[in-house]
Amino acid sequence: MERNQSHPAEFILCGLLYHSKFDVPLFYLFTFTYLLSLIGNLTIIVTISLSSSLQTPMYFFLTNLSILDISCISTTVPKMLYNFVLGSYTITFHGCAIQLYLFSWIEITELLLLTYMAFDRYIAICKPLHYTLIITRRVCFQAVITVWTVGAFSSGVHTLAAFSLSFCVKLEINHFFCEIPPLLKLSCTDTTLNEMLTLLTDVLFGFLCFIFISVSYFFILSSIAHIHSAEGKKKAASTCTSHIMVVLIFYGTLFIAYVKPQSEIFSNQDKILSVIYAVFVPLLNPLIYTLRNKDMTQAILKLVSKITLYAV
């Protein structure tokens, strides 16, 4: 299906696997994953909103992280499930642009939010006496608005640059959703600018943010080491463990996917990595923050007991 046009009517998404015999089990797997992710993240949002004990900056940021996770998985999975049901793997030109914009916006915003969450933990543990003066409600709102705005602007630049290209080869995107690397491989025009923008994004929102998080945790661990009581060390460490796990999983898959040398063909390995950070990370985040967070677990149990009591 060779074409020569700058703006095609639609693209074909090749999906995860080329064999349609796997469509049914994949449909059930991703439906189950999607529903679990929605339930888990919505549970966190509702619990934090209704629990007076969780009205702190850390849980305010966690609420935004859950919103990002719901948005992330809702950007990719519903379209994939829709294609499984219809047996059609097409996506319109504008639909692809919207999907790429939303996904990039969410990923960049999450990188920045995780970085600010590390700063929040740094102030809480290293400068506890100044915490309420530095991390005020106003500062929290300003931080969240900033990371969402920067993510939106950066994603807009990438999307405009990508869809200004001419596409004149096979219009088959070797992926299950529209993402920059496989999309650029379809262009017959020079993609140097796009590659430079991607590299700049990797450095600014990937490498530098990771360095900032690492430095923050270096000082955090140093402060924890100077705490004399074992109970105090355990309490301080428990507030950071969940965030560290999320950062390692999220950054780890993104670094492998984007920082490694790009081959000419978007491989199955690349698609598996995309499944991890686009589908399974939004599911893992609520599990990590609930199972490893005593306050969150207690708040959820209290909320469930209230709902059960009212239902009876």
Side-chain angles (χ1 to χ4, degrees), residues 43-104:
T43 299
I44 287 178
I45 293 170
V46 172
T47 301
I48 292 174
S49 300
L50 298 180
S51 301
S52 57
S53 61
L54 301 181
Q55 301 305 307
T56 63
M58 182 177 76
Y59 292 106
F60 173 70
F61 296 131
L62 181 55
T63 299
N64 277 269
L65 184 63
S66 290
I67 293 171
L68 285 168
D69 286 335
I70 290 174
S71 303
C72 179
I73 199 168
S74 297
T75 301
T76 57
V77 172
K79 177 59 180 176
M80 180 167 55
L81 297 178
Y82 180 78
N83 289 342
F84 282 147
V85 171
L86 291 186
S88 170
Y89 300 92
T90 60
I91 185 169
T92 65
F93 179 84
H94 293 100
C96 185
I98 292 171
Q99 190 178 61
L100 187 148
Y101 174 75
L102 291 175
F103 184 78
S104 299

Side-chain angles (χ1 to χ4, degrees), residues 121-159:
R121 292 300 82 206
Y122 162 74
I123 298 296
I125 294 172
C126 299
K127 300 181 183 295
L129 298 178
H130 299 90
Y131 183 77
T132 55
L133 297 176
I134 297 173
I135 310 296
T136 62
R137 180 180 291 269
R138 181 179 178 182
V139 168
C140 291
F141 277 105
Q142 288 175 340
V144 166
I145 291 171
T146 299
V147 299
W148 280 90
T149 303
V150 172
F153 176 77
S154 179
S155 177
V157 172
H158 278 287
T159 304

Side-chain angles (χ1 to χ4, degrees), residues 107-112 114-115 154 197-214 247 250-252 254-255 258-259:
E107 294 301 287
I108 293 171
T109 303
E110 186 156 346
L111 286 170
L112 294 170
L114 288 173
T115 304
S154 179
L197 285 172
T198 301
L199 178 61
L200 181 62
T201 301
D202 291 342
V203 172
L204 288 178
F205 303 124
F207 184 72
L208 290 182
C209 285
F210 186 76
I211 292 296
F212 186 90
I213 292 174
S214 300
V247 167
F250 188 67
Y251 269 85
L254 282 181
F255 272 154
Y258 284 96
V259 178

